[in-house]
Structure formats: structure tokens, C-alpha cells
């Protein structure tokens, strides 16, 4: 392999004897890249309340701000992996960082929530290039399992750190200025990261055998977007309205076409043959529903404290230190456990802890603005997530032959990110549907005057209970505020319950679904390549995967 400085590196047995030129710079640039990408991903968590106040958004519009980022990542992450292998990882990362800077600029200047969606989607497009490009760039300059394990662990540490500190950064800069200032800070971080990539990172490619699955990419993206559109818009537009029904039907047709295309594709996005193995199938299902439970709980927490309780962004950010922080702090512990305990048991334990935390959240009182009640549930969810996100990839990899490990890792990454994309969508659909039903059924008997009742119905019809909950005290319809608050508390409490049931189902499925399965022994450096980290063994081409 020829690097950007003209140095040719070897994959031979003596290659690991000396550190590859460009290793330190590539590693530093990759860590900065993934940190910035994850900051962009998690930034809206502490700002949803401010979005609602400033842009006058209703529930499904807030859901799209969060979902737009992950949907784009899921749709295009494999394609970006191929682009990096064909045209160079450094070039891919620099382009993705520029896209993220552009998206953050659009978000900072957004006059409406629709423009903010565009900014979020551009951020997701940029991050979708940054995740796989940064990871495979560091695997390309490491030449031993031990060196690779160290580099990947550091990369994953910055990934987790970005998720943990992003809501706090957003809340802090929003407090001293506005939420727009948080995105300007992100623009600056992205530009610094791009400069570091161009100056420090070594270029690498792996074009052999890499081709685009155009038909698979198109059918998957269209099917996923249409299904998610129906799920997001259903609670407020109505599940039986023509646009929602058409979205579900046409989306399902595209996903069915995707399966047909993949079965005959030369270089498929999904190698469906992997799902013939029961252990891999179980881990794949758990990856989706387990990550749905986690990010669903995160989104519910953000909505509960922000648009519903209207708490200060700094206070909104505090629980996220407990939700996201353990994945960073426990990296050394989890890495050791993966070599001493069966990954399936760690996966079961992690999902069970998330289930307990979500069920505790479902019992919270919406009228209590204190953060103390969130401490234990958020910590349980955070520790459970730390165990789950690391072990789910190890379970998947240990269930397939070595020659399929790269594809298995990339497939698991995509399914895990699909769960992340589904989390806010499912939570929004459940919470807003339930809250709307509770508010609508209780409004007539709320004892409001005729004027207040009519005004509350009008606001409810236009923006749902979250719009009524946000009315100024002296505005027409504000008398229904208490009813709206209780309805939203019931709705998001139900959403927490759904997340808990999903996590519990993942725990049960892992515990019983893995009985009788056989896994191959882990290879040094492989299990610790989680979360979302493809195993790259000496002499093998680097697979394209993402975080």
C-alpha cells in the first residue's frame, strides 16, 4: 500500500516490527474526526426545548431533527465505505467533515424547522463518511493486533466521549448565547478536524473487489425513509391518512425489492447468507431492538426535560452524562470482560440493565422537575448500554467463519445504527399518539370555559398536546396546560415502558436464542474492536464499517 507521502508499506510478517509512518498523525486525526461526528449526532439532545420555543415546532417536527441525522447515516454508510476504499479514506473524511461544517452552518442560520432538518441531514451525510473513513484509516496504518487494538480502543473512546459531552457543550453555549451558537461551535470544530485530517492523516485505499451496489442502495434508502416517514407522521396526521398509508405500503415494497436485489447482487450491502446462522441472526435482531431501546430512552429523556418540562439546557444535559458517560469510562473494563466472559452473557446483562432503567423511568412524575429521580435509571441504562454496544459485535463476529468477519461486522454496525435511527421514531410515535389520545379524551371534561375550550382544541388540532403545553400563561387555551402536561407525562412514560420491554425482549432473546449455538474463539484485538469496529487481521483487507 502506498501512502500519501510516497512510502510503501507491507502487509508481510515483518510489517509489525516497526510502526508505520503516519501512524501517530493518522490516529490523532481519526480521533478528532469521530469526536466531532459524534458531537454533531448528540447535539440536539439538550436543545429540543429551545427548538420548540424558538421555531414553534410540534412533536413530530422535533422527532425529525434527531431522526434525520441517523437515517442518512444508516442509508449511506456502506456506500461511503466503498467510496473510501476506492478513492481514499483521507479524501473521504475531509469531504465528510466539509459536509458537516456546511450542515452545521445551515442549522445555525435556519429560520424554520424545515431548514434545520436539512442541516441535520447534511450533518448525517458528513458523519456517514467520517465514521467509516476515520476507522478504516487507522486500521490501514496498524500492522499488529496489539497496535490495532490500542488504536481502535482510543478511537472508540473519543467516539463515546463525543456522545457524553455533546449535550453539555450544547447546553452551555446555548445558555450564554442561543442554540444557534452551539452549531457555530460545531462548525469551528469541524473545520479544525478537517485541517488535522489533511495535514496529519496518511492516505490509504483498498479498491480490490470493491463495487457499488446501486440497486440495493436505492431500494434500501427509499424503503427505509418511507417507512420512517409513516411512523413519524402517523401520530399527528393520523395512521389512516393516505400519505401515511402510502408511505408504509410503498416503503414495504421497496424493502421487499431490496431483499430480492441483495440475493442476486455481486457485492451486496447485506450478505443475506449470514442470516443462515442462528447466533448471527439473534445478535442482529438484538442489535436493532437493543439500540432502539437505548436511543429511544435518550430521546424520551430529552423530550421529557426539554419541550415538556421546559428545563434549562444545562439541566437537560446532566442525565446524558450518566446515559453516555459509562460507554467511555468502562472501555478498559468491558474490553477485559470480553476476554473473560462469554459475550452473549455480557449482552444479556447489558440489555437487562437497560430494561430495568427504562422501566424505572416509566414511573417518573412529570410534575417533578428534580433531576435526582433520573440518576439511578440513567446510570443503569448507561452501564447497560456500555455492555451491550461492545458485546453485540463480538457475539456476531464469533458466530461466523473468519473469512466473513468483515462483512459480519459491517452488517452488525448497520443494524445497530438502524436501531439508533428507529429509537426516536418509535418513541415519538408512541408518546405523541398516547398523549394525544389522553388529552383529546380528557379535554371535554376538564371544566374549561367555552372560550378556553375552543382555543385549546384549535391549538391541539394544529400542534398536539405539546403545543398546548407550551402556551404562555395568558394565552387563549392555556387553561388546558395541566391536562396537556399530564397527557405528555403519560405518553412519554408509556414510551419509556416500550423501551424497557424492547430491552427486556433483547435480553430474553439473547439468553435463550443462543442456547446450543457454537462460536469460534475470539482473536486478539477483535472483541475489543467494538462498538462498531471491524476486526482487521494481519494480511486481510480492511472492511468498510462505521460507528
Amino acid at each position: 500500500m502506498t501512502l500519501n507521502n510516497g512510502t510503501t508499506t507491507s502487509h508481510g510478517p515483518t510489517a509489525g516490527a516497526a510502526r508505520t509512518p503516519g501512524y501517530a498523525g493518522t490516529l490523532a486525526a481519526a480521533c478528532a474526526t469521530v469526536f466531532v461526528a459524534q458531537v454533531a449526532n448528540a447535539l440536539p439532545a439538550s436543545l429540543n426545548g429551545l427548538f420548540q420555543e424558538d421555531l414553534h415546532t410540534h412533536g413530530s417536527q422535533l422527532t425529525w431533527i434527531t431522526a434525520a441525522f441517523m437515517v442518512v447515516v444508516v442509508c449511506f454508510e456502506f456506500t461511503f465505505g466503498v467510496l473510501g476504499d476506492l478513492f481514499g479514506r483521507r479524501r473521504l473524511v475531509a469531504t465528510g467533515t466539509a459536509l458537516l461544517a456546511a450542515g452545521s452552518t445551515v442549522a445555525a442560520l435556519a429560520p424554520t424547522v424545515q431548514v434545520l432538518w436539512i442541516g441535520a441531514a447534511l450533518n448525517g451525510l458528513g458523519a456517514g463518511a467520517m465514521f467509516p473513513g476515520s476507522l478504516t484509516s487507522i486500521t490501514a496504518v496498524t500492522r499488529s493486533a496489539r497496535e490495532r487494538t490500542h488504536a481502535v480502543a482510543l478511537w472508540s473512546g473519543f467516539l463515546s466521549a463525543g456522545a457524553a459531552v455533546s449535550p453539555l457543550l450544547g447546553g452551555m453555549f446555548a445558555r450564554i448565547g442561543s442554540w444557534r451558537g452551539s452549531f457555530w461551535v460545531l462548525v469551528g470544530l469541524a473545520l479544525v478536524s478537517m485541517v488535522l485530517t489533511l495535514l496529519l492523516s496518511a492516505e490509504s485505499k483498498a479498491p480490490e473487489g470493491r463495487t457499488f451496489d446501486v440497486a440495493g442502495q436505492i431500494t434500501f434508502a427509499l424503503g427505509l425513509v418511507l417507512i420512517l416517514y409513516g411512523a413519524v407522521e402517523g401520530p399527528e396526521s393520523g395512521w389512516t391518512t393516505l400519505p401515511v398509508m402510502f408511505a408504509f405500503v410503498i416503503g414495504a415494497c421497496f424493502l421487499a425489492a431490496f431483499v430480492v436485489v441483495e440475493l442476486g447482487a455481486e457485492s451486496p450491502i447485506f450478505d443475506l447468507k449470514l442470516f443462515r446462522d442462528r447466533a448471527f441472526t439473534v445478535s442482529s435482531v438484538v442489535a436493532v431492538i437493543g439500540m432502539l431501546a437505548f436511543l429511544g430512552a435518550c430521546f424520551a429523556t430529552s423530550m421529557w426535560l426539554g419541550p415538556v418540562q421546559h428545563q434549562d439546557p444545562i439541566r437537560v444535559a446532566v442525565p446524558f452524562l450518566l446515559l453516555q458517560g459509562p460507554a467511555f469510562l468502562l472501555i478498559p473494563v468491558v474490553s477485559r470482560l470480553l476476554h473473560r466472559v462469554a459475550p452473549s452473557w455480557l449482552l444479556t446483562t447489558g440489555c437487562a440493565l437497560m430494561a430495568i432503567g427504562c422501566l424505572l423511568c416509566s414511573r417518573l412524575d412529570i410534575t417533578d422537575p428534580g433531576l435526582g429521580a433520573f440518576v439511578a435509571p440513567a446510570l443503569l441504562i448507561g452501564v447497560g448500554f456500555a455492555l451491550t454496544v461492545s458485546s453485540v459485535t463480538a457475539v456476531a463476529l464469533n458466530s461466523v467463519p473468519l473469512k466473513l468477519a468483515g462483512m459480519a461486522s459491517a452488517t452488525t454496525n448497520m443494524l445497530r445504527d438502524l436501531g439508533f435511527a428507529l429509537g426516536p421514531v418509535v418513541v415519538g410515535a408512541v408518546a405523541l399518539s398516547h398523549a394525544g389520545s389522553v388529552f383529546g379524551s380528557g379535554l371535554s371534561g376538564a371544566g374549561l370555559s367555552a372560550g378556553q375550550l375552543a382555543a385549546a382544541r384549535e391549538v391541539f388540532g394544529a400542534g398536539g398536546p405539546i403545543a398546548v403545553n407550551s402556551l404562555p400563561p395568558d394565552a387563549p387555551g392555556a387553561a388546558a396546560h395541566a391536562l396537556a402536561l399530564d397527557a405528555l407525562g403519560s405518553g412519554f412514560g408509556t414510551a419509556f415502558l416500550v423501551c424497557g420491554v424492547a430491552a427486556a425482549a433483547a435480553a430474553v432473546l439473547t439468553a435463550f436464542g443462543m442456547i446450543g449455538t457454537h462460536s469460534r474463539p475470539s482473536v486478539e484485538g477483535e472483541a475489543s474492536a467494538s462498538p462498531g469496529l471491524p476486526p482487521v487481521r494481519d494480511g486481510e483487507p480492511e472492511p468498510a464499517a462505521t460507528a
Side-chain angles (χ1 to χ4, degrees):
M1 179 183 297
T2 302
L3 302 181
N4 65 321
N5 57 7
T7 302
T8 300
T9 63
S10 170
H11 284 276
T14 61
R19 178 160 290 179
T20 305
Y23 170 84
T26 300
L27 179 58
C31 290
T33 295
V34 75
F35 178 84
V36 172
Q38 196 68 351
V39 167
N41 183 12
L43 188 62
S46 61
L47 303 178
N48 279 321
L50 298 180
F51 295 151
Q52 200 276 331
E53 293 175 6
D54 191 27
L55 301 177
H56 309 291
T57 58
H58 51 76
S60 65
Q61 292 178 331
L62 291 171
T63 303
W64 275 120
I65 296 171
T66 300
F69 184 100
M70 282 307 306
V71 168
V72 174
V73 171
V74 173
C75 286
F76 297 107
E77 59 185 341
F78 263 142
T79 296
F80 278 129
V82 175
L83 283 172
D85 288 343
L86 290 175
F87 302 108
R89 285 72 176 259
R90 185 181 68 165
R91 184 178 301 173
L92 175 68
V93 169
T95 302
T97 310
L99 278 172
L100 192 145
S104 299
T105 300
V106 171
L109 298 173
T112 65
V113 69
Q114 289 80 11
V115 177
L116 186 56
W117 295 342
I118 295 173
L122 284 173
N123 280 347
L125 195 63
M130 295 162 71
F131 283 134
S134 63
L135 179 58
T136 51
S137 69
I138 61 174
T139 61
V141 295
T142 55
R143 292 297 175 264
S144 69
R146 183 175 298 277
E147 186 179 80
R148 188 173 300 121
T149 299
H150 170 75
V152 161
L154 192 61
W155 183 92
S156 63
F158 275 84
L159 175 83
S160 301
V165 305
S166 180
L168 195 60
L169 287 174
M172 180 177 65
F173 284 101
R175 189 173 188 180
I176 62 178
S178 74
W179 60 267
R180 299 178 189 275
S182 301
F183 284 100
W184 286 121
V185 171
L186 185 55
V187 171
L189 291 174
L191 293 176
V192 170
S193 176
M194 182 171 63
V195 171
L196 290 176
T197 297
L198 293 173
L199 292 178
L200 301 179
S201 186
E203 184 63 282
S204 62
K205 301 178 184 179
E208 297 82 7
R210 301 294 281 162
T211 59
F212 289 107
D213 179 12
V214 177
Q217 176 66 84
I218 293 174
T219 52
F220 178 70
L222 290 176
L224 180 62
V225 169
L226 286 169
I227 291 292
L228 293 180
Y229 171 83
V232 172
E233 295 299 322
E236 293 184 359
S237 299
W239 295 105
T240 57
T241 57
L242 285 179
V244 172
M245 293 178 66
F246 279 148
F248 281 125
V249 172
I250 298 174
C253 290
F254 272 115
L255 291 180
F258 167 72
V259 173
V260 174
V261 167
E262 294 306 282
L263 288 173
E266 180 182 349
S267 180
I269 291 178
F270 274 0
D271 187 347
L272 298 177
K273 296 177 183 177
L274 290 170
F275 294 94
R276 295 175 181 173
D277 184 277
R278 176 159 59 94
F280 182 83
T281 300
V282 168
S283 67
S284 297
V285 174
V286 170
V288 175
I289 60 178
M291 297 307 100
L292 182 157
F294 173 72
L295 206 65
C298 290
F299 182 69
T301 301
S302 171
M303 294 292 288
W304 182 287
L305 297 174
V308 177
Q309 290 189 336
H310 301 293
Q311 298 217 38
D312 184 276
I314 292 292
R315 288 177 59 83
V316 176
V318 170
F320 284 89
L321 295 176
L322 301 177
L323 289 167
Q324 301 275 13
F328 171 65
L329 296 175
L330 296 180
I331 285 175
V333 176
V334 174
S335 296
R336 292 187 181 93
L337 287 175
L338 283 168
H339 290 290
R340 291 168 173 80
V341 180
S344 59
W345 285 111
L346 290 181
L347 184 56
T348 301
T349 302
C351 290
L353 289 176
M354 288 198 297
I356 296 171
C358 290
L359 293 176
L360 289 175
C361 283
S362 71
R363 300 175 61 85
L364 294 174
D365 181 4
I366 194 64
T367 62
D368 179 12
L371 297 179
F374 271 99
V375 172
L379 191 58
L380 285 170
I381 296 171
V383 173
F385 173 67
L387 296 176
T388 301
V389 75
S390 296
S391 56
V392 69
T393 303
V395 171
L397 296 181
N398 290 345
S399 65
V400 300
L402 285 172
K403 64 180 181 179
L404 296 177
M407 175 60 77
S409 176
T411 301
T412 303
N413 294 338
M414 177 180 280
L415 291 171
R416 190 191 61 245
D417 288 344
L418 177 60
F420 285 147
L422 289 173
V425 173
V426 171
V427 161
V430 170
L432 297 176
S433 292
H434 184 79
S437 177
V438 171
F439 183 85
S441 62
L443 188 58
S444 297
L448 304 181
S449 65
Q452 287 285 345
L453 181 60
R457 280 178 174 163
E458 181 179 356
V459 175
F460 172 61
I466 203 164
V468 178
N469 181 63
S470 300
L471 289 171
D474 56 348
H481 173 270
L483 178 62
L485 182 64
D486 288 341
L488 289 167
S490 178
F492 282 100
T494 302
F496 275 122
L497 180 62
V498 169
C499 292
V501 171
V508 172
L509 180 60
T510 304
F512 291 96
M514 299 298 291
I515 294 177
T517 61
H518 301 282
S519 63
R520 61 176 176 80
S522 296
V523 177
E524 183 186 1
E526 171 183 297
S528 61
S530 303
L533 314 175
V536 185
R537 298 172 187 81
D538 297 333
E540 289 188 352
E542 300 87 0
T546 184

